[in-house]
Structure formats: C-alpha cells, structure tokens
C-alpha cells in the first residue's frame, strides 16, 4: 500500500493484518446497532472529507474523527474512505490496523489493556491478564457479550520502569500487582456502569 496520494511525498508500505480478535458474538448481538452505525458512519466520513479537503493528512483526519466518535472504524466508513481516496477497502483497513489507536471491531464501553512488552511480561503481565480474564469473564483479545468490556494486550506503552502496566480507558497504571487487582476490577466495573 503506497500512501503517496494521502501523505504527499511520503511513501508507506504496509502488510495487511494477519489476525485480529474476532468479535462475532458481539456483532451478532449488535446487528441492528451496527447497521445503524454504519449508515451514520458513512455520512460522517463524508462530512469529515468535506472538512479537510487538503490531500495531506486527510486519511488520518478522517480515521481519527471516526474512531473518536464511534470508538471503532465501521466497515461502511472504510468503504467510503477507500472510494473517496481511490483505494481498495483492504488498503484502508490494513493502514488502520498498523496503528494501536484504531479498532476495526466494536469495543466495549471500557477498554482494558495490559502491556505485554518485554519488561511487563518479565514483571508478571501474564498473571494480571489471567486475573482480569477470570474476573471479567472474557478472554484476552475479546469483548464481553454485553458490550461492557474489551480486554487486550499492547506491546509497549513506554513506561517500562513501572512494569507491569495496565491502561484503563487511557489511564496508565504502573507497578500493578495481583494484590491490587480487586480494587482495579471494582474501578473497571464502576466505569462500565457510569
């Protein structure tokens, strides 16, 4: 994928995403919501293109706007983006999948991330993940059936000296221990009920 039409003279070649967490159960439960969201997202993508007519940075502007509003990139919006930029839908999705801040699947009301980079892994990230999986009732890389929680790992958040790290809705928490997980889980469930 070459992004010269989007990023001016810059050239970017991306490999397509090989695997993404499946959200099949959530999709089935949210079919009506997703269909309605797809229509709204398509219209909003066109609005965003109208707000940013300059070719430089246009793709990122639209992706950022969609992610902020919908918390994921609806498929129909990716199709609109591809059409507007003269790209394939798969190119847009591959580009978005290269960035941690974009989600191609619906995410829960509360996104819980555990860093599994080298330092965090060595400091016990796997134990934190296992505890969160048990308490939230979901496997890492999935979203709960009720759409409240998404649990996933991230490669590195850049705070290795505070390993292991959890990130709850963007709030970075360091030096996490199993003994602290009860309080953390209560906070997570409280966020979901707000």
């Amino acid at each position: 994928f070459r992004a010269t039409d989007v990023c001016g003279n810059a050239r970017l070649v991306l490999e397509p995403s090989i695997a993404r967490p499946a959200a099949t159960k959530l999709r089935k439960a949210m079919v009506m919501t997703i269909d309605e969201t797809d229509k709204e997202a398509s219209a909003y993508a066109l609005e965003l293109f109208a707000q940013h007519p300059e070719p430089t940075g246009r793709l990122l502007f639209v992706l950022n706007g969609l992610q902020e509003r919908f918390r994921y990139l609806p498929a129909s919006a990716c199709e609109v983006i591809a059409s507007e930029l003269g790209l394939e839908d798969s190119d847009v999705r591959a580009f978005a999948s290269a960035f941690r801040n974009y989600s191609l699947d619906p995410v829960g009301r509360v996104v819980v991330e555990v860093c599994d980079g080298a330092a965090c892994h060595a400091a016990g990230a796997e134990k934190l993940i296992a505890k969160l999986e048990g308490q939230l009732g979901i496997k890492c890389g999935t979203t709960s059936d009720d759409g409240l929680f998404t649990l996933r790992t991230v490669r590195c958040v850049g705070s290795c000296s505070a390993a292991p790290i959890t990130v709850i809705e963007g709030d970075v928490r360091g030096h996490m221990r199993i003994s602290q997980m009860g309080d953390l889980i209560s906070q997570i469930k409280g966020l979901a009920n707000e």
Side-chain angles (χ1 to χ4, degrees):
F1 169 63
R2 297 186 188 278
T4 54
D5 56 339
V6 178
C7 301
N9 295 324
R11 293 183 183 268
L12 179 63
V13 179
L14 299 173
E15 295 295 324
S17 160
I18 294 172
R20 281 185 294 113
T24 307
K25 291 181 181 178
L26 180 62
R27 279 198 175 115
K28 288 178 183 174
M30 297 176 63
V31 169
M32 285 301 293
T33 306
I34 290 174
D35 289 344
E36 293 164 7
T37 300
D38 274 348
K39 290 175 189 172
E40 183 181 345
S42 296
Y44 190 59
L46 291 172
E47 277 181 45
L48 291 169
F49 274 113
Q51 291 173 25
H52 197 290
E54 290 294 316
T56 303
R58 203 170 191 205
L59 175 59
L60 290 175
F61 178 80
V62 175
L63 291 175
N64 287 338
L66 289 164
Q67 182 68 40
E68 184 178 322
R69 183 163 180 176
F70 299 101
R71 296 178 50 92
Y72 79 106
L73 302 174
S76 64
C78 291
E79 291 169 10
V80 167
I81 292 168
S83 175
E84 286 292 310
L85 297 176
L87 302 170
E88 294 294 322
D89 175 53
S90 60
D91 292 335
V92 173
R93 295 173 72 75
F95 182 86
S97 70
F99 297 92
R100 174 182 169 262
N101 56 321
Y102 299 127
S103 177
L104 297 172
D105 293 313
V107 295
R109 188 177 301 158
V110 179
V111 177
V112 180
E113 298 171 315
V114 179
C115 179
D116 198 29
C120 289
H121 187 82
E126 286 181 334
K127 292 177 184 174
L128 298 179
I129 293 166
K131 181 74 169 182
L132 286 164
E133 286 177 333
Q135 292 294 309
L136 298 176
I138 57 175
K139 289 288 184 194
C140 193
T142 63
T143 298
S144 61
D145 290 340
D146 58 9
L148 291 180
F149 309 107
T150 295
L151 176 61
R152 59 188 180 198
T153 59
V154 292
R155 282 289 126 210
C156 185
V157 296
S159 298
C160 299
S161 62
I165 303 284
T166 59
V167 182
I168 315 301
E169 284 299 301
D171 181 27
V172 178
R173 299 161 191 239
H175 303 290
M176 294 303 301
R177 301 289 175 250
I178 292 293
S179 61
Q180 299 169 300
M181 295 306 286
D183 290 339
L184 181 67
I185 291 164
S186 294
Q187 291 171 1
I188 293 167
K189 290 183 176 180
L191 284 171
N193 294 323
E194 287 182 355

